[in-house]
Amino acid sequence: MSETTERLPVFPLNAVVFPGVSLPLHVFEGRYRSLVHDLLAVAEVEDRRFGVVAIREGFEVGQHGMASVHRVGCVVTLDDVRPYPDGRFDIEVTGRRRMRIQSLQSTRPYLVAEAVVEPAEPVGRAESSGVAEAAERTRSTFEEYRRRLSTLRGSEVLDAPLPDEPEALSYVLASVCLLTLAERQALLEAEDTLRRLLMLHHALCEEMRAMRAIASLPATEVARMRWSPN
């Protein structure tokens, strides 16, 4: 599958969304209520697609926010909607593919992007470049990280089964490990699965080093995101 260019609505967030990961969102701003209404007018659920991009740290999204968002984000589908009488929505989205914004327009109440949507990395190429070995090492490091985090919290955390496929594993770990927004964005922008796994392994080792140094480190907040096998 090759890259495709799509015109997509854009929802800036103080979060990074990864392919294969689901996230609940509360929609209260008028422009994003309009976005949800427009998506609900699309007949097929799988076609209710928009882009989520992280807001650059230190910036606020102004009237249109063109300069304050990262250019690499994630295409998501609107999977579930719960409306409230006052016009707000609780929604759930699932990340599908990574996207790179080429241009942004403000022709709607919300931003609209021309974006290149990237395909999944071919499995054969990933395996031949040593990704399988990197995935196994990173998975093992994560299990030790999870064990230590569970001990700090006093209960089991992050104990759902992990995907076997290396690209999916890299995105899941990027979403659930306790990282800064900048670290997550760097992982989303990583050039390939191997690079992402190497970055994750390093980040996990650094987190465990910090846990040893500061026993009361507040590393007990578990991500709201969850991963999807779809």
Side-chain angles (χ1 to χ4, degrees):
M1 184 184 297
S2 60
E3 293 183 341
T4 59
T5 301
E6 297 187 34
R7 185 176 173 83
L8 293 165
V10 172
F11 195 151
L13 284 178
N14 286 303
V16 179
V17 179
F18 296 92
V21 174
S22 296
L23 177 68
L25 297 173
H26 181 64
V27 180
F28 59 91
E29 285 191 61
R31 53 187 161 179
Y32 301 122
R33 294 186 194 185
S34 297
L35 170 57
V36 174
H37 281 294
D38 288 349
L39 291 168
L40 291 175
V42 177
E44 299 296 329
V45 174
E46 60 267 25
D47 292 332
R48 294 174 181 171
R49 293 156 55 89
F50 61 102
V52 172
V53 290
I55 301 169
R56 294 181 184 275
E57 291 180 304
F59 285 84
E60 296 291 336
V61 175
Q63 183 179 5
H64 296 303
M66 291 187 184
S68 61
V69 298
H70 288 279
R71 289 314 196 251
V72 176
C74 187
V75 178
V76 304
T77 52
L78 177 63
D79 297 328
D80 189 54
V81 179
R82 179 186 175 189
Y84 289 91
D86 62 1
R88 294 175 297 124
F89 294 97
D90 280 337
I91 66 175
E92 184 163 302
V93 303
T94 299
R96 299 302 176 186
R97 296 307 321 151
R98 191 168 70 164
M99 70 174 194
R100 289 181 281 111
I101 293 176
Q102 303 297 296
S103 63
L104 285 166
Q105 297 88 38
S106 56
T107 54
R108 305 287 296 172
Y110 44 81
L111 291 172
V112 177
E114 291 287 337
V116 174
V117 180
E118 300 181 0
E121 185 172 320
V123 174
R125 186 177 70 191
E127 291 176 347
S128 66
S129 61
V131 170
E133 292 82 359
E136 186 56 37
R137 184 177 68 161
T138 304
R139 180 193 295 271
S140 177
T141 304
F142 171 76
E143 289 300 338
E144 176 62 17
Y145 166 82
R146 190 195 71 79
R147 185 188 67 77
R148 296 187 188 189
L149 192 57
S150 296
T151 299
L152 281 176
R153 180 161 182 168
S155 62
E156 291 297 314
V157 299
L158 306 177
D159 56 350
L162 295 172
D164 293 325
E165 197 279 317
E167 184 184 37
L169 175 68
S170 74
Y171 283 134
V172 165
L173 295 183
S175 71
V176 300
C177 294
L178 300 172
L179 305 171
T180 66
L181 187 146
E183 288 171 323
R184 292 189 201 279
Q185 183 65 31
L187 287 164
L188 182 65
E189 294 182 11
E191 60 191 40
D192 55 31
T193 299
L194 178 59
R195 177 62 180 161
R196 189 175 305 109
L197 288 167
L198 294 174
M199 291 168 66
L200 279 164
H201 180 264
H202 175 75
L204 288 167
C205 289
E206 289 298 308
E207 283 293 306
M208 288 190 289
R209 192 171 293 115
M211 288 180 198
R212 288 194 297 270
I214 308 174
S216 60
L217 184 74
T220 55
E221 288 298 320
V222 178
R224 294 168 64 229
M225 295 180 178
R226 61 182 177 81
W227 53 92
S228 166
N230 299 321

